[in-house]
Amino acid sequence: MKIVIVNGQNHVGSTCRIARDLARKVGGEVTEFFLPRDFDEPCVGCTGCFMKDRHKCPHFDKLEPITQAIDAADLIILASPVYVFHATAQMMALLDHYGYRWIIHRPEPQMFHKQAVCISTAAGGGMRSTNRDMSDSLFFWGIAKIYKLGYAIRAVNYDSITEKRRAKIERDTASLAARINRAYGHVKPGLRTKLWFYMVRFFHKQNRIGADWDYWEKMGWHAKKRPWQGG
Ligand SMILES: Cc1cc2nc3c(=O)[nH]c(=O)nc-3n(C[C@H](O)[C@H](O)[C@H](O)COP(=O)(O)O)c2cc1C
């Protein structure tokens, strides 16, 4: 299995340790990125990606290694510590660059066959909103199966987490790794994703214009093809 880990911080802290532990238990070839080390640009709001093509993004070349790794991965792990109740600014800056591939625009068909995990850790709280920050993007990219792990670790680093809490994290990652492996190769998106797909398709019937319409037409989604069918 190909796994990509995107860390929303530059250091190997608790969040990264949990992400790596999960990836190790799943097993496979891991590619890892750290933000902002591997991508440090905020979206400039030019809308070139939305209106024309992703190649129009002024950060296209810088972003490409992460994009290629995400596109090639069977499992995407987004891992962010909670910063003021949300994912880190650098994680959000990365995700902003992929707005054009939301299902309401031009989703990549291979996303509909992938699994993803959002991981967040906090001192006390904010894991739900942080995981939501990341899972919103994953869902709207069309990712078929999304899991979330959030921990209030009540410690300044991974090694000082209590034995009991660490044992729970170990159990959770082991059982999630088994789940991911069981689903591997035959994941399909749920009803909510399909509803979004058909809503956009319906909208396109009324508004036959723009780069998004052209893309859907080229993909055959206005006709009988569906992104979750086939390999
Ligand atoms: C800028 C900043 C903001 C933070 N905001 C929160 C917060 O809103 N809630 C919380 O419980 N912990 C917060 N924390 C603590 C971290 O989320 C927590 O220590 C986390 O486990 C760090 O993960 P890491 O070891 O992977 O860096 C914050 C830490 C920093 C540096």
Side-chain angles (χ1 to χ4, degrees):
M1 183 169 335
K2 283 193 175 160
I3 303 168
V4 62
I5 303 175
V6 182
N7 292 291
Q9 74 293 332
N10 267 343
H11 58 267
V12 182
S14 306
T15 326
C16 176
R17 292 271 296 268
I18 296 169
R20 284 181 173 179
D21 184 43
L22 175 68
R24 183 183 56 76
K25 286 170 177 158
V26 172
E29 180 194 323
V30 180
T31 309
E32 192 174 30
F33 297 96
F34 288 88
L35 306 174
R37 187 193 73 184
D38 298 318
F39 186 74
D40 60 355
E41 299 285 356
C43 168
V44 295
C46 69
T47 69
C49 62
F50 287 115
M51 305 310 287
K52 294 191 179 107
D53 188 89
R54 68 195 183 100
H55 297 88
K56 299 285 176 200
C57 176
H59 310 137
F60 175 80
D61 290 334
K62 253 189 175 178
L63 190 60
E64 194 55 3
I66 301 183
T67 309
Q68 283 188 8
I70 286 174
D71 288 350
D74 303 296
L75 175 67
I76 301 166
I77 301 177
L78 299 183
S80 174
V82 174
Y83 282 3
V84 290
F85 257 53
H86 289 279
T88 60
Q90 48 273 30
M91 174 63 82
M92 296 313 287
L94 173 80
L95 297 176
D96 288 347
H97 286 80
Y98 293 127
Y100 73 88
R101 51 167 69 193
W102 276 37
I103 198 165
I104 55 167
H105 296 293
R106 302 191 300 279
E108 292 292 325
Q110 66 267 41
M111 296 296 147
F112 295 78
H113 304 278
K114 293 184 195 295
Q115 302 186 79
V117 185
C118 304
I119 300 176
S120 64
T121 73
M127 299 83 68
R128 186 194 286 258
S129 43
T130 298
N131 279 339
R132 177 80 197 266
D133 288 338
M134 299 184 282
S135 70
D136 276 348
S137 275
L138 294 167
F139 173 78
F140 282 105
W141 294 354
I143 299 288
K145 204 107 187 85
I146 302 165
Y147 313 90
K148 296 176 192 172
L149 294 175
Y151 298 102
I153 58 162
R154 301 186 203 288
V156 286
N157 59 51
Y158 195 73
D159 294 322
S160 43
I161 300 175
T162 61
E163 273 300 316
K164 193 174 164 204
R165 201 162 277 133
R166 199 130 35 114
K168 166 143 178 46
I169 297 172
E170 296 273 335
R171 280 198 308 276
D172 289 353
T173 49
S175 84
L176 180 54
R179 244 178 112 179
I180 289 167
N181 272 314
R182 277 197 302 274
Y184 175 47
H186 48 89
V187 278
K188 287 244 157 62
L191 187 62
R192 192 170 155 237
T193 305
K194 291 180 180 174
L195 278 174
W196 272 102
F197 177 89
Y198 286 114
M199 273 194 308
V200 177
R201 190 170 174 272
F202 178 75
F203 176 78
H204 282 188
K205 297 263 176 204
Q206 336 288 317
N207 300 277
R208 296 172 165 241
I209 44 158
D212 295 351
W213 191 93
D214 293 347
Y215 177 81
W216 280 59
E217 183 68 10
K218 189 183 83 191
M219 301 307 281
W221 297 340
H222 292 144
K224 292 253 187 294
K225 277 200 182 163
R226 299 292 174 263
W228 53 84
Q229 286 164 353

